[in-house]
Amino acid sequence: MKKGLFLGLCCLCTTFFYAQEFQFINETINYGKIDKNTDGLKVFEFTNIGKAPLIIKDIKTSCDCAIPEKPERPIMPGEKATITVSYDTSKSGGFSKAITIFSNAKEARKVLKIKGYIKN
């Protein structure tokens, strides 16, 4: 019994210490003040700083006005990758949106943000 408990604890610790993990350059992108109907494409750059492949399962946004694109293949340890977000700039005014990433990382749910102001 003690041996099984010890093995289970060792496996749990190994998973915790060697889990895949995001390291983003920026977790918030500020568009600043931009003109209406300009290019709304921005890129989040990250590195897998873990010891196992990182798999992004899904990405959800807080509105249909932001369209994210994720890497389709696993990101290997030490590898860099990007997530692109295209924001619809056809409406004037301020915006602040969340992009939620679902993955197999140590932190299974990661929230990124975009914000800015679209001028007339």
Side-chain angles (χ1 to χ4, degrees):
M1 179 72 176
K2 288 182 182 180
K3 199 182 253 188
L5 183 60
F6 179 72
L7 277 172
L9 186 58
C10 285
C11 289
L12 183 62
C13 288
T14 301
T15 301
F16 178 76
F17 288 115
Y18 293 108
Q20 44 285 7
E21 188 175 355
F22 290 104
Q23 181 180 42
F24 282 89
I25 292 175
N26 291 312
E27 294 184 14
T28 300
I29 292 180
N30 188 348
Y31 283 64
K33 290 183 179 181
I34 60 173
D35 292 323
K36 191 174 180 178
N37 296 317
T38 57
D39 182 19
L41 187 67
K42 296 293 182 184
V43 178
F44 288 96
E45 297 179 33
F46 67 93
T47 303
N48 176 1
I49 60 170
K51 303 286 185 195
L54 177 62
I55 299 168
I56 297 175
K57 299 172 185 173
D58 197 11
I59 300 179
K60 301 283 186 190
T61 60
S62 58
C63 73
D64 292 338
C65 52
I67 301 169
E69 287 188 36
K70 66 180 183 69
E72 292 302 321
R73 61 179 187 73
I75 295 85
M76 303 310 286
E79 185 177 4
K80 295 180 183 207
T82 60
I83 293 171
T84 59
V85 177
S86 181
Y87 186 76
D88 179 8
T89 61
S90 65
K91 295 179 183 168
S92 301
F95 65 92
S96 179
K97 305 298 176 188
I99 294 98
T100 306
I101 303 166
F102 299 90
S103 71
N104 68 335
K106 186 178 356 178
E107 185 180 343
R109 184 180 294 181
K110 180 78 171 168
V111 178
L112 305 175
K113 295 183 180 178
I114 58 171
K115 62 183 181 177
Y117 185 84
I118 301 171
K119 304 182 283 183
N120 276 335

